[in-house]
Amino acid sequence: MKFSEEQRKAIASDQPFLFLQACAGSGKTRVIVERVKRHLLENVNQDHILCITFTRKASVEMDERLKHRIKNVYTFHQFCLNMLKENSSYPYEIIDPNDLAYSPNQLLQIANYKNSLYRTNKPNSYHEYQKYLNENKLKDFDDLLIDYLKSNIFNQFQYILIDEFQDTNLLQYEIIKKLKNKHTHIFAVGDPNQSIYRFRGSNYQIIQQFIKDFQANTLTLSTNYRSNQNIIHSVNHLIFHNPKRDNLKMIPYHKRGEKVESFSFHNRVDECLYIVSLCKTLIQDKHHQTIAVLYRNHERAFHLKQYLYQLDDYRLIIDETIHFLTIHQSKGLEFDIVIMIGLEQGELPSLVENQMLELEEERRLCFVGMTRAKKKLILTHIKTDDSKKTYTPSVFLNESRVKTHHHPSIK
């Protein structure tokens, strides 16, 4: 198994505190797995190794990649709940807040109030929500972290490896600080360019805080092994419009490959007809390539899904072959062919997210979507919708230097 010089350095480094800035498609999970294997070969007790990921799916994948060699592979929430149960009587039922009679926006505000350690504005519904939890001996996911932070449970781990560090919020960062003792080694991996959860309280600037607080060394993985050279050039041009602190120029491993294509359509019907025709061709291709249609919001994909599912001959194979995902849902995944729809001002970037900081986040979101593509990337936008509202192309098309072709109406 061959490793690049950058990967070898990251696997072998003995620095007690290290931040690895790993670009999209650079093999960061492989590096984490190899570091764990290295610790085990050095006879570190597996009970003293902890891997933290940000989603349950990622923790399962990490555990599988590690071939179940260690037992402590958790999300932050899983880790805190496990520690609370192991070390004390914790007589609470854990509730999924989505099961309660609060709107998604109310729940998001409450979660952000908690994960900011009560530093944001207190939501109007907070007291009523918390009273209900207390009276029913319930805890939500953020309570698990808060209760662990308040506890007298201290760290037993010598080697802590944290993935997707750019998604860390303030509450999670305080957990990391609590885990530090004189024997602790912390290896944090992330990419500021892929920080797309600011609306949930994540703050990629915590990376710099970690480097400062822990006097951490830094290494980089700058080679992208996923996407072709043309895709990499486009996304590099795009992300360089964000402030320089974000930028790690990706180096493509693969040769040039197909050009990134951008198509402008008169309306959604024309866009749908083109994508349906393209998908038919791709599905009939015998290479069994993975295909994804990505979008900023579910609403933007509604017409396209309707058109595709009307094709009875293709319904089954489309269900199995074409993945419909928001860009947020696509994070961490990769596909041979990516079709990103909705590259319009007001859609991507979102009209609501129009301040400078929000525009940076929207640009990172576009970056994440584009870097899901391995071989072929197609970007689309429309000029008018059903209500005759007109749209202008997304500023991100110009920034990524992708030439747009005006697709003729299909009769």
Side-chain angles (χ1 to χ4, degrees):
M1 189 182 288
K2 290 185 178 179
F3 297 99
S4 69
E5 184 60 28
E6 285 184 329
Q7 289 171 333
R8 276 196 295 271
K9 279 185 184 176
I11 293 164
S13 173
D14 284 320
Q15 296 294 333
F17 304 110
L18 187 64
F19 174 69
L20 177 66
Q21 183 169 350
C23 77
S26 61
K28 66 181 177 64
T29 306
R30 189 181 175 202
V31 166
I32 293 171
V33 167
E34 289 302 317
R35 276 188 72 96
V36 171
K37 285 160 69 175
R38 188 196 118 200
H39 296 322
L40 292 172
L41 285 170
E42 293 168 345
N43 294 319
V44 176
N45 187 321
Q46 69 138 318
D47 290 341
H48 296 160
I49 304 172
L50 169 66
C51 285
I52 294 180
T53 66
F54 273 77
T55 65
R56 190 177 291 271
K57 182 184 173 190
S59 70
V60 170
E61 182 189 334
M62 181 73 73
D63 189 38
E64 288 171 353
R65 293 277 290 270
L66 284 164
K67 295 187 166 57
H68 318 295
R69 287 183 178 95
I70 65 170
K71 65 181 182 183
N72 300 308
V73 181
Y74 298 115
T75 65
F76 273 102
H77 300 109
Q78 289 170 329
F79 168 72
C80 290
L81 178 60
N82 192 62
M83 295 299 284
L84 288 163
K85 284 188 169 180
E86 272 190 9
N87 290 275
S88 64
S89 170
Y90 197 67
Y92 301 101
E93 184 182 343
I94 313 306
I95 186 77
D96 184 339
N98 292 306
D99 295 337
L100 303 177
Y102 291 89
S103 71
N105 191 49
Q106 284 176 315
L107 293 175
L108 187 62
Q109 288 177 352
I110 291 167
N112 284 346
Y113 181 57
K114 290 184 177 184
N115 68 45
S116 72
L117 293 172
Y118 312 109
R119 295 181 191 179
T120 58
N121 292 332
K122 186 186 292 185
N124 294 331
S125 52
Y126 175 75
H127 282 303
E128 179 196 358
Y129 171 88
Q130 205 58 39
K131 183 183 176 194
Y132 177 81
L133 294 190
N134 294 338
E135 286 176 349
N136 292 279
K137 278 204 166 184
L138 299 172
K139 296 282 185 177
D140 66 19
F141 301 133
D142 291 301
D143 291 331
L144 298 176
L145 275 66
I146 291 166
D147 288 352
Y148 173 74
L149 198 57
K150 289 177 180 174
S151 75
N152 293 319
I153 305 166
F154 293 100
N155 174 29
Q156 68 194 43
F157 299 101
Q158 186 179 353
Y159 293 95
I160 300 169
L161 303 95
I162 307 166
D163 198 5
E164 304 289 4
F165 197 76
Q166 76 280 348
D167 294 333
T168 311
N169 61 42
L170 186 59
L171 175 55
Q172 291 163 337
Y173 184 55
E174 290 300 317
I175 298 287
I176 293 165
K177 290 203 290 190
K178 182 182 173 78
L179 289 170
K180 179 187 175 186
N181 65 33
K182 63 181 180 181
H183 302 296
T184 310
H185 292 64
I186 298 179
F187 180 71
V189 184
D191 180 8
N193 289 334
Q194 296 187 73
S195 176
I196 58 173
Y197 291 106
R198 189 170 175 268
F199 67 96
R200 286 190 198 161
S202 299
N203 183 356
Y204 68 88
Q205 292 173 339
I206 286 174
I207 290 170
Q208 292 304 320
Q209 197 63 46
F210 169 76
I211 293 168
K212 179 183 173 187
D213 292 345
F214 288 76
Q215 297 183 313
N217 285 65
T218 60
L219 290 173
T220 59
L221 296 181
S222 56
T223 300
N224 177 294
Y225 296 94
R226 177 187 298 150
S227 307
N228 77 39
Q229 191 175 24
N230 284 311
I231 295 169
I232 297 302
H233 285 341
S234 292
V235 292
N236 276 339
H237 286 307
L238 172 71
I239 206 63
F240 269 51
H241 285 80
N242 270 359
K244 296 294 182 223
R245 65 175 180 270
D246 284 358
N247 293 339
L248 172 61
K249 185 175 182 180
M250 288 193 293
I251 300 164
Y253 177 79
H254 296 294
K255 296 214 160 72
R256 194 163 294 279
E258 292 192 46
K259 287 185 177 179
V260 179
E261 294 183 286
S262 168
F263 293 110
S264 170
F265 297 93
H266 181 66
N267 54 35
R268 286 180 181 169
V269 172
D270 288 348
E271 180 187 61
C272 288
L273 290 170
Y274 168 76
I275 294 174
V276 167
S277 174
L278 175 63
C279 287
K280 281 184 183 180
T281 303
L282 293 172
I283 289 167
Q284 288 165 346
D285 188 342
K286 302 303 181 192
H287 290 93
H288 303 292
Q289 300 182 98
T290 53
I291 306 162
V293 176
L294 305 184
Y295 35 88
R296 177 66 175 82
N297 297 300
H298 285 288
E299 189 182 0
R300 181 63 177 80
F302 178 73
H303 285 79
L304 178 56
K305 286 182 182 179
Q306 276 194 321
Y307 266 78
L308 280 170
Y309 287 123
Q310 283 168 6
L311 299 173
D312 290 333
D313 294 343
Y314 290 93
R315 185 174 297 170
L316 180 62
I317 199 163
I318 285 169
D319 284 343
E320 293 175 352
T321 310
I322 301 177
H323 303 262
F324 287 91
L325 299 164
T326 66
I327 300 173
H328 284 98
Q329 290 170 332
S330 76
K331 190 163 177 284
L333 303 176
E334 59 180 38
F335 306 92
D336 294 313
I337 299 157
V338 168
I339 304 164
M340 269 177 72
I341 66 173
L343 271 289
E344 302 113 14
Q345 287 295 108
E347 182 66 29
L348 183 64
S350 166
L351 188 62
V352 180
E353 322 289 5
N354 57 3
Q355 296 174 348
M356 189 56 69
L357 274 177
E358 305 295 358
L359 185 62
E360 290 176 22
E361 175 104 347
E362 292 288 294
R363 190 175 285 113
R364 291 194 293 271
L365 189 62
C366 188
F367 173 93
V368 166
M370 292 171 73
T371 53
R372 299 311 93 199
K374 293 164 71 175
K375 299 176 182 175
K376 188 179 186 71
L377 174 61
I378 296 170
L379 312 172
T380 74
H381 63 276
I382 58 170
K383 296 176 183 175
T384 61
D385 65 14
D386 297 345
S387 62
K388 305 303 179 190
K389 179 182 174 182
T390 59
Y391 293 90
T392 55
S394 169
V395 64
F396 299 151
L397 290 169
N398 187 49
E399 289 178 357
S400 57
R401 301 189 187 178
V402 178
K403 183 180 178 183
T404 295
H405 302 278
H406 298 279
H407 207 278
S409 295
I410 302 172
K411 301 299 182 189

